[in-house]
mmCIF file of all heavy atoms in Angstrom:
data_model
loop_
_atom_site.group_PDB
_atom_site.id
_atom_site.type_symbol
_atom_site.label_atom_id
_atom_site.label_comp_id
_atom_site.label_asym_id
_atom_site.label_seq_id
_atom_site.Cartn_x
_atom_site.Cartn_y
_atom_site.Cartn_z
ATOM 1 N N ARG A 101 -14.693 0.130 -9.285
ATOM 2 C CA ARG A 101 -14.447 -0.342 -7.949
ATOM 3 C C ARG A 101 -13.273 -1.333 -8.057
ATOM 4 O O ARG A 101 -13.480 -2.492 -8.427
ATOM 5 C CB ARG A 101 -15.688 -0.954 -7.371
ATOM 6 C CG ARG A 101 -16.762 0.027 -7.007
ATOM 7 C CD ARG A 101 -18.157 -0.597 -6.925
ATOM 8 N NE ARG A 101 -18.702 -0.812 -8.250
ATOM 9 C CZ ARG A 101 -19.728 -1.634 -8.491
ATOM 10 N NH1 ARG A 101 -20.266 -2.277 -7.523
ATOM 11 N NH2 ARG A 101 -20.170 -1.799 -9.718
ATOM 12 N N GLU A 102 -12.084 -0.850 -7.765
ATOM 13 C CA GLU A 102 -10.855 -1.607 -7.988
ATOM 14 C C GLU A 102 -10.563 -2.504 -6.808
ATOM 15 O O GLU A 102 -10.527 -2.076 -5.657
ATOM 16 C CB GLU A 102 -9.674 -0.678 -8.297
ATOM 17 C CG GLU A 102 -9.933 0.179 -9.540
ATOM 18 C CD GLU A 102 -8.668 0.918 -9.995
ATOM 19 O OE1 GLU A 102 -7.551 0.570 -9.582
ATOM 20 O OE2 GLU A 102 -8.857 1.861 -10.781
ATOM 21 N N THR A 103 -10.271 -3.786 -7.105
ATOM 22 C CA THR A 103 -10.176 -4.763 -6.078
ATOM 23 C C THR A 103 -9.004 -4.499 -5.098
ATOM 24 O O THR A 103 -9.173 -4.673 -3.875
ATOM 25 C CB THR A 103 -10.029 -6.197 -6.680
ATOM 26 O OG1 THR A 103 -9.033 -6.163 -7.694
ATOM 27 C CG2 THR A 103 -11.347 -6.646 -7.212
ATOM 28 N N ASN A 104 -7.808 -4.064 -5.638
ATOM 29 C CA ASN A 104 -6.732 -3.882 -4.715
ATOM 30 C C ASN A 104 -6.955 -2.637 -3.821
ATOM 31 O O ASN A 104 -6.514 -2.563 -2.705
ATOM 32 C CB ASN A 104 -5.399 -3.779 -5.457
ATOM 33 C CG ASN A 104 -5.291 -2.531 -6.272
ATOM 34 O OD1 ASN A 104 -6.063 -2.288 -7.196
ATOM 35 N ND2 ASN A 104 -4.270 -1.726 -6.009
ATOM 36 N N PHE A 105 -7.664 -1.647 -4.378
ATOM 37 C CA PHE A 105 -8.031 -0.469 -3.552
ATOM 38 C C PHE A 105 -8.928 -0.913 -2.398
ATOM 39 O O PHE A 105 -8.773 -0.414 -1.257
ATOM 40 C CB PHE A 105 -8.801 0.536 -4.343
ATOM 41 C CG PHE A 105 -7.969 1.398 -5.315
ATOM 42 C CD1 PHE A 105 -6.613 1.133 -5.601
ATOM 43 C CD2 PHE A 105 -8.546 2.491 -5.972
ATOM 44 C CE1 PHE A 105 -5.863 1.893 -6.389
ATOM 45 C CE2 PHE A 105 -7.765 3.257 -6.782
ATOM 46 C CZ PHE A 105 -6.430 2.961 -7.026
ATOM 47 N N VAL A 106 -9.897 -1.812 -2.689
ATOM 48 C CA VAL A 106 -10.907 -2.214 -1.680
ATOM 49 C C VAL A 106 -10.212 -3.085 -0.587
ATOM 50 O O VAL A 106 -10.498 -2.968 0.589
ATOM 51 C CB VAL A 106 -12.022 -2.980 -2.368
ATOM 52 C CG1 VAL A 106 -12.976 -3.559 -1.319
ATOM 53 C CG2 VAL A 106 -12.803 -2.039 -3.278
ATOM 54 N N ALA A 107 -9.323 -4.004 -1.011
ATOM 55 C CA ALA A 107 -8.737 -4.971 -0.104
ATOM 56 C C ALA A 107 -7.840 -4.308 0.940
ATOM 57 O O ALA A 107 -7.710 -4.788 2.106
ATOM 58 C CB ALA A 107 -7.919 -5.963 -0.856
ATOM 59 N N ALA A 136 -15.477 -5.954 2.510
ATOM 60 C CA ALA A 136 -14.496 -5.645 1.539
ATOM 61 C C ALA A 136 -13.835 -6.912 0.954
ATOM 62 O O ALA A 136 -13.696 -7.002 -0.286
ATOM 63 C CB ALA A 136 -13.418 -4.729 2.116
ATOM 64 N N VAL A 137 -13.441 -7.805 1.841
ATOM 65 C CA VAL A 137 -12.806 -9.047 1.333
ATOM 66 C C VAL A 137 -13.807 -9.818 0.479
ATOM 67 O O VAL A 137 -13.423 -10.393 -0.570
ATOM 68 C CB VAL A 137 -12.315 -9.848 2.518
ATOM 69 C CG1 VAL A 137 -11.835 -11.272 2.052
ATOM 70 C CG2 VAL A 137 -11.174 -9.149 3.226
ATOM 71 N N GLU A 138 -15.024 -9.912 0.875
ATOM 72 C CA GLU A 138 -16.007 -10.679 0.094
ATOM 73 C C GLU A 138 -16.202 -10.078 -1.334
ATOM 74 O O GLU A 138 -16.349 -10.778 -2.297
ATOM 75 C CB GLU A 138 -17.345 -10.721 0.851
ATOM 76 C CG GLU A 138 -17.303 -11.595 2.102
ATOM 77 C CD GLU A 138 -17.115 -13.091 1.782
ATOM 78 O OE1 GLU A 138 -17.984 -13.672 1.049
ATOM 79 O OE2 GLU A 138 -16.122 -13.682 2.165
ATOM 80 N N PHE A 139 -16.221 -8.768 -1.376
ATOM 81 C CA PHE A 139 -16.352 -8.102 -2.671
ATOM 82 C C PHE A 139 -15.106 -8.513 -3.534
ATOM 83 O O PHE A 139 -15.243 -8.856 -4.708
ATOM 84 C CB PHE A 139 -16.359 -6.566 -2.537
ATOM 85 C CG PHE A 139 -16.162 -5.821 -3.836
ATOM 86 C CD1 PHE A 139 -17.241 -5.632 -4.634
ATOM 87 C CD2 PHE A 139 -14.925 -5.404 -4.234
ATOM 88 C CE1 PHE A 139 -17.130 -4.986 -5.926
ATOM 89 C CE2 PHE A 139 -14.751 -4.764 -5.482
ATOM 90 C CZ PHE A 139 -15.835 -4.525 -6.293
ATOM 91 N N VAL A 140 -13.884 -8.441 -2.961
ATOM 92 C CA VAL A 140 -12.664 -8.720 -3.700
ATOM 93 C C VAL A 140 -12.681 -10.177 -4.191
ATOM 94 O O VAL A 140 -12.391 -10.440 -5.395
ATOM 95 C CB VAL A 140 -11.440 -8.407 -2.864
ATOM 96 C CG1 VAL A 140 -10.214 -8.944 -3.522
ATOM 97 C CG2 VAL A 140 -11.290 -6.944 -2.586
ATOM 98 N N LEU A 141 -13.005 -11.075 -3.350
ATOM 99 C CA LEU A 141 -12.969 -12.495 -3.698
ATOM 100 C C LEU A 141 -14.045 -12.909 -4.716
ATOM 101 O O LEU A 141 -13.970 -13.893 -5.352
ATOM 102 C CB LEU A 141 -13.039 -13.381 -2.451
ATOM 103 C CG LEU A 141 -11.808 -13.242 -1.538
ATOM 104 C CD1 LEU A 141 -11.945 -14.256 -0.397
ATOM 105 C CD2 LEU A 141 -10.509 -13.419 -2.301
ATOM 106 N N GLY A 142 -15.071 -11.998 -4.824
ATOM 107 C CA GLY A 142 -16.067 -12.246 -5.859
ATOM 108 C C GLY A 142 -15.463 -12.066 -7.222
ATOM 109 O O GLY A 142 -16.124 -12.453 -8.233
ATOM 110 N N LEU A 143 -14.321 -11.497 -7.400
ATOM 111 C CA LEU A 143 -13.620 -11.367 -8.667
ATOM 112 C C LEU A 143 -12.418 -12.266 -8.849
ATOM 113 O O LEU A 143 -11.684 -12.125 -9.786
ATOM 114 C CB LEU A 143 -13.242 -9.881 -8.887
ATOM 115 C CG LEU A 143 -14.396 -8.992 -9.424
ATOM 116 C CD1 LEU A 143 -15.209 -8.449 -8.257
ATOM 117 C CD2 LEU A 143 -13.883 -7.858 -10.265
ATOM 118 N N GLN A 144 -12.263 -13.220 -7.890
ATOM 119 C CA GLN A 144 -11.164 -14.181 -8.103
ATOM 120 C C GLN A 144 -11.438 -15.117 -9.222
ATOM 121 O O GLN A 144 -12.546 -15.656 -9.383
ATOM 122 C CB GLN A 144 -10.897 -14.903 -6.826
ATOM 123 C CG GLN A 144 -9.643 -15.833 -6.896
ATOM 124 C CD GLN A 144 -9.129 -16.299 -5.571
ATOM 125 O OE1 GLN A 144 -9.927 -16.594 -4.674
ATOM 126 N NE2 GLN A 144 -7.804 -16.376 -5.412
ATOM 127 N N GLN A 145 -10.442 -15.336 -10.086
ATOM 128 C CA GLN A 145 -10.602 -16.188 -11.242
ATOM 129 C C GLN A 145 -10.196 -17.657 -10.879
ATOM 130 O O GLN A 145 -9.502 -17.891 -9.891
ATOM 131 C CB GLN A 145 -9.735 -15.661 -12.372
ATOM 132 C CG GLN A 145 -9.959 -14.174 -12.754
ATOM 133 C CD GLN A 145 -11.417 -13.932 -13.086
ATOM 134 O OE1 GLN A 145 -11.932 -14.507 -14.000
ATOM 135 N NE2 GLN A 145 -12.108 -13.097 -12.341
ATOM 136 N N PRO A 146 -10.604 -18.593 -11.685
ATOM 137 C CA PRO A 146 -10.269 -20.000 -11.408
ATOM 138 C C PRO A 146 -8.781 -20.262 -11.244
ATOM 139 O O PRO A 146 -8.400 -21.190 -10.498
ATOM 140 C CB PRO A 146 -10.848 -20.755 -12.623
ATOM 141 C CG PRO A 146 -11.915 -19.868 -13.149
ATOM 142 C CD PRO A 146 -11.462 -18.469 -12.892
ATOM 143 N N GLY A 147 -7.941 -19.488 -11.890
ATOM 144 C CA GLY A 147 -6.482 -19.647 -11.672
ATOM 145 C C GLY A 147 -5.917 -19.011 -10.491
ATOM 146 O O GLY A 147 -4.708 -19.090 -10.264
ATOM 147 N N GLY A 148 -6.736 -18.389 -9.679
ATOM 148 C CA GLY A 148 -6.235 -17.804 -8.417
ATOM 149 C C GLY A 148 -6.086 -16.293 -8.471
ATOM 150 O O GLY A 148 -6.178 -15.594 -7.451
ATOM 151 N N GLN A 149 -5.817 -15.736 -9.654
ATOM 152 C CA GLN A 149 -5.642 -14.263 -9.781
ATOM 153 C C GLN A 149 -6.937 -13.543 -9.557
ATOM 154 O O GLN A 149 -7.999 -14.069 -9.732
ATOM 155 C CB GLN A 149 -5.049 -13.989 -11.155
ATOM 156 C CG GLN A 149 -6.036 -14.127 -12.309
ATOM 157 C CD GLN A 149 -6.093 -15.518 -12.918
ATOM 158 O OE1 GLN A 149 -5.803 -16.501 -12.220
ATOM 159 N NE2 GLN A 149 -6.473 -15.656 -14.168
ATOM 160 N N ILE A 150 -6.813 -12.257 -9.190
ATOM 161 C CA ILE A 150 -7.980 -11.450 -8.832
ATOM 162 C C ILE A 150 -8.252 -10.473 -10.039
ATOM 163 O O ILE A 150 -7.345 -9.721 -10.428
ATOM 164 C CB ILE A 150 -7.777 -10.656 -7.564
ATOM 165 C CG1 ILE A 150 -7.310 -11.567 -6.434
ATOM 166 C CG2 ILE A 150 -9.030 -9.920 -7.225
ATOM 167 C CD1 ILE A 150 -8.393 -12.511 -5.898
ATOM 168 N N GLY A 151 -9.483 -10.496 -10.543
ATOM 169 C CA GLY A 151 -9.837 -9.542 -11.578
ATOM 170 C C GLY A 151 -9.656 -8.112 -11.082
ATOM 171 O O GLY A 151 -9.818 -7.791 -9.903
ATOM 172 N N TRP A 152 -9.383 -7.243 -12.049
ATOM 173 C CA TRP A 152 -8.973 -5.867 -11.714
ATOM 174 C C TRP A 152 -10.046 -5.065 -10.984
ATOM 175 O O TRP A 152 -9.816 -4.419 -9.957
ATOM 176 C CB TRP A 152 -8.553 -5.185 -13.054
ATOM 177 C CG TRP A 152 -8.224 -3.717 -12.885
ATOM 178 C CD1 TRP A 152 -7.946 -3.017 -11.753
ATOM 179 C CD2 TRP A 152 -8.134 -2.797 -13.955
ATOM 180 N NE1 TRP A 152 -7.649 -1.697 -12.052
ATOM 181 C CE2 TRP A 152 -7.791 -1.551 -13.424
ATOM 182 C CE3 TRP A 152 -8.356 -2.901 -15.321
ATOM 183 C CZ2 TRP A 152 -7.613 -0.436 -14.185
ATOM 184 C CZ3 TRP A 152 -8.162 -1.750 -16.137
ATOM 185 C CH2 TRP A 152 -7.831 -0.539 -15.566
ATOM 186 N N LYS A 153 -11.267 -5.074 -11.525
ATOM 187 C CA LYS A 153 -12.315 -4.230 -10.951
ATOM 188 C C LYS A 153 -13.715 -4.608 -11.436
ATOM 189 O O LYS A 153 -13.880 -5.466 -12.355
ATOM 190 C CB LYS A 153 -12.021 -2.760 -11.295
ATOM 191 C CG LYS A 153 -12.108 -2.509 -12.799
ATOM 192 C CD LYS A 153 -11.831 -0.976 -13.088
ATOM 193 C CE LYS A 153 -11.864 -0.676 -14.595
ATOM 194 N NZ LYS A 153 -11.703 0.764 -14.860
ATOM 195 N N ARG A 154 -14.730 -3.954 -10.903
ATOM 196 C CA ARG A 154 -16.024 -3.864 -11.457
ATOM 197 C C ARG A 154 -16.301 -2.490 -11.965
ATOM 198 O O ARG A 154 -15.949 -1.482 -11.312
ATOM 199 C CB ARG A 154 -17.106 -4.271 -10.444
ATOM 200 C CG ARG A 154 -17.194 -5.711 -10.135
ATOM 201 C CD ARG A 154 -18.458 -6.096 -9.363
ATOM 202 N NE ARG A 154 -18.411 -7.460 -8.938
ATOM 203 C CZ ARG A 154 -18.832 -8.459 -9.740
ATOM 204 N NH1 ARG A 154 -19.192 -8.229 -10.943
ATOM 205 N NH2 ARG A 154 -18.759 -9.732 -9.304
ATOM 206 N N PRO A 160 -17.840 -7.074 -14.468
ATOM 207 C CA PRO A 160 -16.517 -7.373 -13.967
ATOM 208 C C PRO A 160 -15.419 -7.277 -15.028
ATOM 209 O O PRO A 160 -15.694 -7.655 -16.181
ATOM 210 C CB PRO A 160 -16.675 -8.861 -13.477
ATOM 211 C CG PRO A 160 -17.726 -9.445 -14.409
ATOM 212 C CD PRO A 160 -18.651 -8.267 -14.677
ATOM 213 N N VAL A 161 -14.285 -6.765 -14.654
ATOM 214 C CA VAL A 161 -13.115 -6.751 -15.517
ATOM 215 C C VAL A 161 -12.211 -7.860 -14.975
ATOM 216 O O VAL A 161 -11.549 -7.740 -13.920
ATOM 217 C CB VAL A 161 -12.351 -5.442 -15.495
ATOM 218 C CG1 VAL A 161 -11.130 -5.455 -16.344
ATOM 219 C CG2 VAL A 161 -13.302 -4.288 -15.962
ATOM 220 N N ASP A 162 -12.228 -9.032 -15.696
ATOM 221 C CA ASP A 162 -11.525 -10.192 -15.177
ATOM 222 C C ASP A 162 -10.071 -10.210 -15.362
ATOM 223 O O ASP A 162 -9.302 -10.981 -14.733
ATOM 224 C CB ASP A 162 -12.112 -11.450 -15.870
ATOM 225 C CG ASP A 162 -13.600 -11.631 -15.485
ATOM 226 O OD1 ASP A 162 -13.995 -11.210 -14.441
ATOM 227 O OD2 ASP A 162 -14.330 -12.281 -16.313
ATOM 228 N N ASP A 163 -9.511 -9.315 -16.287
ATOM 229 C CA ASP A 163 -8.049 -9.247 -16.440
ATOM 230 C C ASP A 163 -7.406 -8.849 -15.107
ATOM 231 O O ASP A 163 -7.968 -8.038 -14.346
ATOM 232 C CB ASP A 163 -7.699 -8.187 -17.477
ATOM 233 C CG ASP A 163 -8.116 -8.544 -18.850
ATOM 234 O OD1 ASP A 163 -8.193 -9.739 -19.159
ATOM 235 O OD2 ASP A 163 -8.341 -7.646 -19.686
ATOM 236 N N ALA A 164 -6.343 -9.512 -14.792
ATOM 237 C CA ALA A 164 -5.699 -9.337 -13.479
ATOM 238 C C ALA A 164 -4.372 -8.614 -13.603
ATOM 239 O O ALA A 164 -3.632 -8.814 -14.556
ATOM 240 C CB ALA A 164 -5.460 -10.677 -12.840
ATOM 241 N N LEU A 165 -4.124 -7.775 -12.644
ATOM 242 C CA LEU A 165 -2.812 -7.062 -12.562
ATOM 243 C C LEU A 165 -1.933 -7.710 -11.511
ATOM 244 O O LEU A 165 -2.384 -8.000 -10.415
ATOM 245 C CB LEU A 165 -3.097 -5.614 -12.187
ATOM 246 C CG LEU A 165 -4.009 -4.802 -13.068
ATOM 247 C CD1 LEU A 165 -4.345 -3.441 -12.510
ATOM 248 C CD2 LEU A 165 -3.399 -4.660 -14.479
ATOM 249 N N LEU A 166 -0.698 -7.957 -11.844
ATOM 250 C CA LEU A 166 0.240 -8.585 -10.883
ATOM 251 C C LEU A 166 0.441 -7.745 -9.671
ATOM 252 O O LEU A 166 0.422 -8.250 -8.535
ATOM 253 C CB LEU A 166 1.544 -8.933 -11.564
ATOM 254 C CG LEU A 166 2.585 -9.574 -10.716
ATOM 255 C CD1 LEU A 166 2.103 -10.939 -10.174
ATOM 256 C CD2 LEU A 166 3.900 -9.774 -11.527
ATOM 257 N N THR A 167 0.652 -6.425 -9.860
ATOM 258 C CA THR A 167 0.812 -5.596 -8.725
ATOM 259 C C THR A 167 -0.391 -5.574 -7.800
ATOM 260 O O THR A 167 -0.342 -5.739 -6.599
ATOM 261 C CB THR A 167 1.109 -4.103 -9.184
ATOM 262 O OG1 THR A 167 2.342 -4.114 -9.861
ATOM 263 C CG2 THR A 167 1.179 -3.187 -8.003
ATOM 264 N N GLY A 168 -1.542 -5.395 -8.419
ATOM 265 C CA GLY A 168 -2.795 -5.371 -7.646
ATOM 266 C C GLY A 168 -3.037 -6.664 -6.898
ATOM 267 O O GLY A 168 -3.413 -6.668 -5.773
ATOM 268 N N SER A 169 -2.824 -7.804 -7.577
ATOM 269 C CA SER A 169 -3.067 -9.070 -6.939
ATOM 270 C C SER A 169 -2.029 -9.312 -5.821
ATOM 271 O O SER A 169 -2.385 -9.968 -4.787
ATOM 272 C CB SER A 169 -2.988 -10.189 -8.008
ATOM 273 O OG SER A 169 -4.182 -10.234 -8.787
ATOM 274 N N SER A 170 -0.792 -8.859 -6.013
ATOM 275 C CA SER A 170 0.186 -8.976 -4.954
ATOM 276 C C SER A 170 -0.198 -8.178 -3.701
ATOM 277 O O SER A 170 0.006 -8.633 -2.564
ATOM 278 C CB SER A 170 1.566 -8.577 -5.474
ATOM 279 O OG SER A 170 1.981 -9.386 -6.519
ATOM 280 N N SER A 171 -0.734 -6.972 -3.921
ATOM 281 C CA SER A 171 -1.190 -6.189 -2.794
ATOM 282 C C SER A 171 -2.397 -6.858 -2.115
ATOM 283 O O SER A 171 -2.472 -6.865 -0.889
ATOM 284 C CB SER A 171 -1.612 -4.785 -3.311
ATOM 285 O OG SER A 171 -2.114 -3.987 -2.267
ATOM 286 N N ILE A 172 -3.304 -7.444 -2.915
ATOM 287 C CA ILE A 172 -4.409 -8.199 -2.366
ATOM 288 C C ILE A 172 -3.911 -9.392 -1.531
ATOM 289 O O ILE A 172 -4.440 -9.706 -0.490
ATOM 290 C CB ILE A 172 -5.370 -8.653 -3.487
ATOM 291 C CG1 ILE A 172 -6.034 -7.368 -4.067
ATOM 292 C CG2 ILE A 172 -6.421 -9.590 -2.912
ATOM 293 C CD1 ILE A 172 -6.768 -7.678 -5.382
ATOM 294 N N HIS A 173 -2.836 -10.070 -2.018
ATOM 295 C CA HIS A 173 -2.287 -11.191 -1.249
ATOM 296 C C HIS A 173 -1.908 -10.717 0.169
ATOM 297 O O HIS A 173 -2.164 -11.403 1.156
ATOM 298 C CB HIS A 173 -1.093 -11.743 -2.008
ATOM 299 C CG HIS A 173 -0.460 -12.919 -1.295
ATOM 300 N ND1 HIS A 173 0.628 -12.754 -0.452
ATOM 301 C CD2 HIS A 173 -0.732 -14.238 -1.308
ATOM 302 C CE1 HIS A 173 0.974 -13.941 0.010
ATOM 303 N NE2 HIS A 173 0.231 -14.842 -0.488
ATOM 304 N N HIS A 174 -1.282 -9.567 0.213
ATOM 305 C CA HIS A 174 -0.890 -8.976 1.493
ATOM 306 C C HIS A 174 -2.138 -8.734 2.356
ATOM 307 O O HIS A 174 -2.204 -9.034 3.560
ATOM 308 C CB HIS A 174 -0.097 -7.708 1.253
ATOM 309 C CG HIS A 174 0.426 -7.081 2.512
ATOM 310 N ND1 HIS A 174 0.822 -5.677 2.521
ATOM 311 C CD2 HIS A 174 0.690 -7.529 3.767
ATOM 312 C CE1 HIS A 174 1.223 -5.415 3.737
ATOM 313 N NE2 HIS A 174 1.211 -6.494 4.480
ATOM 314 N N LEU A 176 -5.158 -10.016 2.163
ATOM 315 C CA LEU A 176 -5.818 -11.239 2.574
ATOM 316 C C LEU A 176 -5.141 -11.834 3.802
ATOM 317 O O LEU A 176 -5.831 -12.317 4.780
ATOM 318 C CB LEU A 176 -5.837 -12.281 1.489
ATOM 319 C CG LEU A 176 -6.838 -12.027 0.319
ATOM 320 C CD1 LEU A 176 -6.647 -13.072 -0.794
ATOM 321 C CD2 LEU A 176 -8.233 -12.011 0.823
ATOM 322 N N ASP A 192 -12.589 -20.162 3.500
ATOM 323 C CA ASP A 192 -12.607 -19.754 2.108
ATOM 324 C C ASP A 192 -11.577 -18.734 1.823
ATOM 325 O O ASP A 192 -10.945 -18.719 0.720
ATOM 326 C CB ASP A 192 -14.024 -19.217 1.738
ATOM 327 C CG ASP A 192 -15.116 -20.264 1.732
ATOM 328 O OD1 ASP A 192 -14.755 -21.535 1.718
ATOM 329 O OD2 ASP A 192 -16.355 -19.914 1.706
ATOM 330 N N TRP A 193 -11.344 -17.838 2.741
ATOM 331 C CA TRP A 193 -10.285 -16.845 2.536
ATOM 332 C C TRP A 193 -8.888 -17.487 2.467
ATOM 333 O O TRP A 193 -8.033 -17.095 1.722
ATOM 334 C CB TRP A 193 -10.283 -15.812 3.658
ATOM 335 C CG TRP A 193 -11.527 -14.941 3.733
ATOM 336 C CD1 TRP A 193 -12.662 -15.048 2.961
ATOM 337 C CD2 TRP A 193 -11.763 -13.870 4.639
ATOM 338 N NE1 TRP A 193 -13.602 -14.060 3.336
ATOM 339 C CE2 TRP A 193 -13.043 -13.345 4.360
ATOM 340 C CE3 TRP A 193 -11.008 -13.298 5.690
ATOM 341 C CZ2 TRP A 193 -13.574 -12.269 5.078
ATOM 342 C CZ3 TRP A 193 -11.552 -12.217 6.403
ATOM 343 C CH2 TRP A 193 -12.806 -11.699 6.084
ATOM 344 N N LEU A 195 -8.134 -20.519 1.533
ATOM 345 C CA LEU A 195 -8.028 -21.194 0.224
ATOM 346 C C LEU A 195 -7.770 -20.126 -0.863
ATOM 347 O O LEU A 195 -6.908 -20.317 -1.727
ATOM 348 C CB LEU A 195 -9.244 -21.925 -0.100
ATOM 349 C CG LEU A 195 -9.266 -22.708 -1.467
ATOM 350 C CD1 LEU A 195 -8.144 -23.713 -1.552
ATOM 351 C CD2 LEU A 195 -10.621 -23.421 -1.663
ATOM 352 N N ALA A 196 -8.497 -18.991 -0.821
ATOM 353 C CA ALA A 196 -8.307 -17.976 -1.838
ATOM 354 C C ALA A 196 -6.921 -17.368 -1.797
ATOM 355 O O ALA A 196 -6.284 -17.155 -2.857
ATOM 356 C CB ALA A 196 -9.336 -16.834 -1.605
ATOM 357 N N ALA A 197 -6.392 -17.131 -0.620
ATOM 358 C CA ALA A 197 -5.038 -16.586 -0.459
ATOM 359 C C ALA A 197 -4.019 -17.603 -0.969
ATOM 360 O O ALA A 197 -3.041 -17.222 -1.614
ATOM 361 C CB ALA A 197 -4.761 -16.261 1.017
ATOM 362 N N GLY A 198 -4.235 -18.885 -0.713
ATOM 363 C CA GLY A 198 -3.289 -19.906 -1.172
ATOM 364 C C GLY A 198 -3.296 -19.941 -2.714
ATOM 365 O O GLY A 198 -2.215 -20.028 -3.325
ATOM 366 N N LEU A 199 -4.454 -19.930 -3.308
ATOM 367 C CA LEU A 199 -4.528 -19.972 -4.751
ATOM 368 C C LEU A 199 -3.849 -18.722 -5.390
ATOM 369 O O LEU A 199 -3.187 -18.806 -6.447
ATOM 370 C CB LEU A 199 -6.011 -20.060 -5.234
ATOM 371 C CG LEU A 199 -6.687 -21.423 -5.019
ATOM 372 C CD1 LEU A 199 -8.202 -21.253 -5.208
ATOM 373 C CD2 LEU A 199 -6.162 -22.440 -5.986
ATOM 374 N N LEU A 200 -4.110 -17.585 -4.744
ATOM 375 C CA LEU A 200 -3.577 -16.330 -5.251
ATOM 376 C C LEU A 200 -2.047 -16.366 -5.179
ATOM 377 O O LEU A 200 -1.341 -15.973 -6.139
ATOM 378 C CB LEU A 200 -4.139 -15.124 -4.519
ATOM 379 C CG LEU A 200 -3.626 -13.780 -4.834
ATOM 380 C CD1 LEU A 200 -3.786 -13.443 -6.329
ATOM 381 C CD2 LEU A 200 -4.279 -12.692 -3.978
ATOM 382 N N GLY A 201 -1.509 -16.766 -4.054
ATOM 383 C CA GLY A 201 -0.074 -16.814 -3.857
ATOM 384 C C GLY A 201 0.561 -17.780 -4.876
ATOM 385 O O GLY A 201 1.653 -17.489 -5.485
ATOM 386 N N ALA A 203 -0.559 -18.538 -7.894
ATOM 387 C CA ALA A 203 -0.598 -17.881 -9.221
ATOM 388 C C ALA A 203 0.500 -16.856 -9.301
ATOM 389 O O ALA A 203 1.211 -16.747 -10.341
ATOM 390 C CB ALA A 203 -1.962 -17.224 -9.426
ATOM 391 N N ILE A 204 0.706 -16.018 -8.299
ATOM 392 C CA ILE A 204 1.772 -14.982 -8.331
ATOM 393 C C ILE A 204 3.142 -15.612 -8.490
ATOM 394 O O ILE A 204 3.974 -15.154 -9.270
ATOM 395 C CB ILE A 204 1.692 -14.130 -7.054
ATOM 396 C CG1 ILE A 204 0.410 -13.279 -7.068
ATOM 397 C CG2 ILE A 204 2.901 -13.220 -6.974
ATOM 398 C CD1 ILE A 204 0.078 -12.633 -5.756
ATOM 399 N N ARG A 210 -0.929 -15.554 -16.181
ATOM 400 C CA ARG A 210 -2.350 -15.297 -15.735
ATOM 401 C C ARG A 210 -2.564 -13.751 -15.461
ATOM 402 O O ARG A 210 -3.689 -13.411 -15.143
ATOM 403 C CB ARG A 210 -2.672 -16.117 -14.514
ATOM 404 C CG ARG A 210 -2.691 -17.628 -14.804
ATOM 405 C CD ARG A 210 -2.971 -18.458 -13.602
ATOM 406 N NE ARG A 210 -2.925 -19.880 -13.966
ATOM 407 C CZ ARG A 210 -2.924 -20.911 -13.125
ATOM 408 N NH1 ARG A 210 -3.019 -20.698 -11.850
ATOM 409 N NH2 ARG A 210 -2.828 -22.142 -13.603
ATOM 410 N N PHE A 211 -1.551 -12.961 -15.587
ATOM 411 C CA PHE A 211 -1.633 -11.549 -15.344
ATOM 412 C C PHE A 211 -1.298 -10.770 -16.588
ATOM 413 O O PHE A 211 -0.567 -11.192 -17.478
ATOM 414 C CB PHE A 211 -0.667 -11.155 -14.215
ATOM 415 C CG PHE A 211 -0.916 -11.888 -12.916
ATOM 416 C CD1 PHE A 211 -0.274 -13.071 -12.704
ATOM 417 C CD2 PHE A 211 -1.814 -11.446 -12.026
ATOM 418 C CE1 PHE A 211 -0.514 -13.795 -11.493
ATOM 419 C CE2 PHE A 211 -2.058 -12.109 -10.849
ATOM 420 C CZ PHE A 211 -1.371 -13.312 -10.556
ATOM 421 N N LEU A 212 -1.921 -9.533 -16.706
ATOM 422 C CA LEU A 212 -1.555 -8.679 -17.852
ATOM 423 C C LEU A 212 -0.081 -8.348 -17.790
ATOM 424 O O LEU A 212 0.520 -8.234 -16.777
ATOM 425 C CB LEU A 212 -2.388 -7.357 -17.718
ATOM 426 C CG LEU A 212 -3.917 -7.519 -17.910
ATOM 427 C CD1 LEU A 212 -4.535 -6.140 -17.678
ATOM 428 C CD2 LEU A 212 -4.253 -8.049 -19.316
#
Side-chain angles (χ1 to χ4, degrees):
R101 289 158 284 163
E102 299 191 19
T103 48
N104 69 301
F105 283 11
V106 174
V137 172
E138 290 292 298
F139 170 84
V140 170
L141 294 185
L143 278 85
Q144 186 165 37
Q145 306 303 301
Q149 72 274 26
I150 308 289
W152 175 18
K153 64 178 179 177
R154 285 193 185 276
V161 178
D162 295 335
D163 291 335
L165 303 173
L166 180 58
T167 295
S169 285
S170 297
S171 178
I172 292 167
H173 180 266
H174 184 200
L176 285 176
D192 290 346
W193 296 4
L195 180 59
L199 286 168
L200 177 58
I204 293 167
R210 294 178 183 170
F211 302 91
L212 293 175

